[in-house]
Amino acid sequence: MSKGPVVSDTSPLISLLEIKKLSLLRDLYTEVLIPRAVENEFLDKFPTASREALDNAPWIRVVDLQDPHKIAEYANLDLGEAEALVLVDEKKARLVLMDENRGRKAAKARGFIVKRTLALLLEAKEKGLIDKAEPYVIALKESGMYITDSVIRRVLEMAGEAD
């Protein structure tokens, strides 16, 4: 495993909270850093549940940006994504967890390693943290995450769970 922290955008946090697997972040990465804007977006989505989730997840640490002016470099992204990418750079993170296409493209353009929530589930299965990916992939889709049937098939094939 490479050195450096892991940074998360909002959507992986929301997705993992919805499928009751926020603890995978601790199990996979020990600690995950989030910027203040990500914390605010997370709390806005489910005020009570997300506050309780953060209070019970000391492995998710809110970090203020050293140079908030750098978010201007990501003017085409929402504030959470922009702050997450600034934090990746400031903390020399090994990985950023992000699902949105524009944010992922911006991260890759900067040479950052990006992982989607679905890839995180595959990693969790590979490491024996979950027995099957399928129920969680289905739960994500049912919770509102946009996942095409072809992506579901591909993920299940990668997990060795395809029919």
Side-chain angles (χ1 to χ4, degrees):
M1 183 183 311
S2 38
K3 300 240 186 260
V6 171
V7 171
S8 184
D9 185 31
T10 313
S11 61
L13 298 176
I14 290 170
S15 296
L16 292 171
L17 177 64
E18 287 180 330
I19 63 171
K20 297 174 179 36
K21 281 296 181 184
L22 203 56
S23 62
L24 286 177
L25 295 175
R26 175 200 61 218
D27 299 340
L28 289 168
Y29 309 119
T30 308
E31 180 179 62
V32 174
L33 306 180
I34 62 171
R36 190 72 54 194
V38 167
E39 176 192 37
N40 292 336
E41 289 174 2
F42 187 58
L43 294 174
D44 285 348
K45 180 72 175 175
F46 307 109
T48 303
S50 55
R51 176 77 275 157
E52 184 178 320
L54 285 180
D55 288 347
N56 291 317
W59 58 88
I60 299 173
R61 190 162 57 93
V62 180
V63 178
D64 290 316
L65 300 180
Q66 295 168 0
D67 186 357
H69 294 59
K70 288 185 179 180
I71 61 172
E73 297 173 21
Y74 301 101
N76 64 325
L77 302 179
D78 74 30
L79 186 58
E81 292 169 343
E83 283 196 10
L85 295 181
V86 170
L87 190 60
V88 168
D89 191 37
E90 288 182 352
K91 297 298 182 183
K92 306 300 180 225
R94 69 177 186 258
L95 175 69
V96 60
L97 304 172
M98 187 173 285
D99 290 320
E100 292 78 20
N101 287 331
R102 281 187 311 167
R104 285 188 3 265
K105 285 179 185 175
K108 289 178 182 178
R110 297 283 175 123
F112 302 150
I113 297 171
V114 185
K115 185 172 283 193
R116 291 177 144 180
T117 303
L118 292 173
L120 185 145
L121 289 175
L122 287 173
E123 183 181 2
K125 179 173 183 201
E126 180 183 301
K127 292 185 175 180
L129 300 172
I130 57 175
D131 293 329
K132 294 188 70 135
E134 182 178 29
Y136 300 108
V137 172
I138 300 305
L140 285 173
K141 183 170 180 136
E142 289 173 353
S143 74
M145 180 184 263
Y146 177 73
I147 312 172
T148 64
D149 290 340
S150 64
V151 168
I152 290 173
R153 277 193 302 279
R154 191 171 68 220
V155 168
L156 296 181
E157 285 171 7
M158 294 171 75
E161 300 174 25
D163 293 334

